[in-house]
Amino acid sequence: MKKLVKNDSNTNTCQNIVNTNVNNLKLPRIEFPVFTSNYMDWISFCDLFLASVGDNSTLRDSQKLKYLKLSVKGEAATLLQSIQIANDNYQKAWNALTERYENEAEIINAALNKLVSQPVLKQESASGLRKIIDTTQQCIDTLQTLKQPVEYWDTLIIFLLKGKLDFETLCVWTLEQTNKQTKIPLSPSLNRSF
């Protein structure tokens, strides 16, 4: 019985240490998001800004407005330029931004435009190919967030990407695809033998 009590005591001590360590955990400082007036960046900016500033009940609206004005660049900054920092103006400023940038059609257009306007590679380049892949994935992710049926767009995406490849990379890719399609499949009985 004493061993059981002793183990319970040790378990409680360990739980207290774990709880104390979790409560004292210092997270890294989060930088305020910056919105550069790019429609594709609006969704992330909006979510991050609201989570860190907009929904923070310890801040006055005038403080939120100051943070908002510091967090926008380009056309968005121009839109807020004439709005004076005052408690009553935060919601006005936020509404002005959401009316302009929370536009699903514009976000979709921006993603599609970025997807199709990627530069053509002039020569073989691993970094250039990686940039095309990363940009394409970013566009697809944005479109998926907006519930566009991109899971059915493989043929279109491949067609677009082939047009961005340099001659050598395209030849290698085409040869790979040809080899995949001309392989003779093994019969089920042969597959079991291997």
Side-chain angles (χ1 to χ4, degrees):
M1 181 87 162
K2 283 187 176 185
K3 283 186 178 181
L4 185 60
V5 171
K6 190 173 186 180
N7 285 341
D8 284 343
S9 174
N10 287 339
T11 302
N12 288 338
T13 303
C14 287
Q15 287 175 342
N16 288 339
I17 290 170
V18 169
N19 288 340
T20 302
N21 287 340
V22 170
N23 291 336
N24 291 333
L25 179 67
K26 301 227 183 211
L27 296 173
R29 193 174 206 161
I30 296 176
E31 296 292 322
F32 284 118
V34 175
F35 180 62
T36 60
S37 306
N38 180 342
Y39 280 93
M40 280 187 60
D41 297 334
W42 173 255
I43 297 169
S44 280
F45 171 78
C46 180
D47 287 350
L48 289 170
F49 187 83
L50 289 176
S52 58
V53 177
D55 295 337
N56 186 336
S57 61
T58 63
L59 295 174
R60 295 174 48 97
D61 280 354
S62 58
Q63 293 171 305
K64 292 176 185 182
L65 179 54
K66 180 66 175 175
Y67 285 127
L68 182 59
K69 289 182 112 182
L70 291 172
S71 298
V72 295
K73 305 283 183 235
E75 185 182 296
T78 304
L79 181 64
L80 302 183
Q81 187 174 349
S82 65
I83 299 175
Q84 297 297 313
I85 299 202
N87 278 332
D88 294 339
N89 287 342
Y90 169 69
Q91 200 57 54
K92 177 182 174 184
W94 184 255
N95 289 344
L97 285 175
T98 57
E99 284 174 20
R100 168 117 9 126
Y101 294 103
E102 202 164 284
N103 182 330
E104 192 170 304
E106 287 293 335
I107 296 170
I108 290 169
N109 285 340
L112 290 173
N113 188 46
K114 186 170 186 173
L115 179 65
V116 300
S117 65
Q118 295 182 76
V120 176
L121 295 177
K122 302 291 184 208
Q123 60 188 24
E124 286 182 279
S125 166
S127 63
L129 187 57
R130 172 58 50 203
K131 184 167 176 52
I132 287 174
I133 291 168
D134 291 345
T135 300
T136 301
Q137 189 61 57
Q138 178 191 22
C139 294
I140 290 171
D141 290 347
T142 298
L143 293 165
Q144 280 179 321
T145 299
L146 296 171
K147 304 204 181 340
Q148 294 299 298
V150 294
E151 64 270 11
Y152 303 110
W153 295 4
D154 290 357
T155 304
L156 178 62
I157 300 294
I158 290 168
F159 174 79
L160 289 172
L161 294 182
K162 282 175 50 180
K164 305 300 179 185
L165 300 178
D166 62 279
F167 180 75
E168 291 83 13
T169 304
L170 181 59
C171 287
V172 170
W173 184 85
T174 303
L175 185 60
E176 285 276 325
Q177 297 308 305
T178 303
N179 287 340
K180 285 180 183 177
Q181 291 175 2
T182 58
K183 285 185 182 174
I184 300 170
L186 296 175
S187 71
S189 60
L190 286 175
N191 278 333
R192 278 187 250 124
S193 300
F194 294 98

